Amino acid sequence: MADDLVIEEGDLEVLRDRTRDLSSRLQSVTVATAGDYISSAVGGSPLAGQGRSAGETIDEAVIALTRDLDDFSQSVNDSINAYNATESKAAVSFQHTDHGGPAMTMDDLLRMREEQ
């Protein structure tokens, strides 16, 4: 059986930020543009056209990957927000719990313990 996943405070924010950063870095990569320089150097060779086509295919894959990374980053952000909202609701409900009487002191708790 697999171990439980343990997420420490701040882990999701790091995951979101690094995923978003990676996506923005990949967006600046264009293999086809770099391939144009090679194509112009080799002239009208059939290999130049094949290189350009391969570059465009790689670029399309990179664009799809950046879109997926952006979606994943947004999903992680949505999870962070949902977790924070749930945590806030739980904290508020515990702060306003009606216990039907005045707040108990440490002396009250000790007296109750002695009575048992």
Side-chain angles (χ1 to χ4, degrees):
M1 188 160 126
D3 291 333
D4 289 337
L5 176 63
V6 177
I7 299 174
E8 299 291 332
E9 185 174 346
D11 285 352
L12 291 177
E13 289 81 0
V14 170
L15 177 61
R16 175 201 58 206
D17 295 345
R18 287 185 180 172
T19 304
R20 188 180 295 153
D21 181 56
L22 177 60
S23 174
S24 67
R25 287 183 191 197
L26 283 173
Q27 288 175 7
S28 64
V29 174
T30 51
V31 178
T33 302
D36 285 342
Y37 297 119
I38 297 170
S39 298
S40 63
V42 294
S45 165
L47 291 176
Q50 290 175 352
R52 173 75 178 165
S53 177
E56 289 172 350
T57 300
I58 292 169
D59 288 344
E60 289 171 7
V62 169
I63 289 169
L65 177 61
T66 59
R67 197 171 29 248
D68 290 345
L69 287 170
D70 284 339
D71 289 347
F72 179 73
S73 178
Q74 185 58 49
S75 292
V76 171
N77 193 60
D78 292 345
S79 295
I80 292 167
N81 291 336
Y83 177 77
N84 287 337
T86 301
E87 189 176 57
S88 294
K89 286 179 185 175
V92 169
S93 67
F94 284 119
Q95 289 172 0
H96 301 300
T97 301
D98 182 17
H99 51 76
M104 295 183 75
T105 65
M106 184 57 86
D107 290 336
D108 295 332
L109 293 172
L110 290 172
R111 191 173 28 260
M112 287 174 64
R113 183 174 152 194
E114 290 172 1
E115 290 173 0
Q116 290 181 358

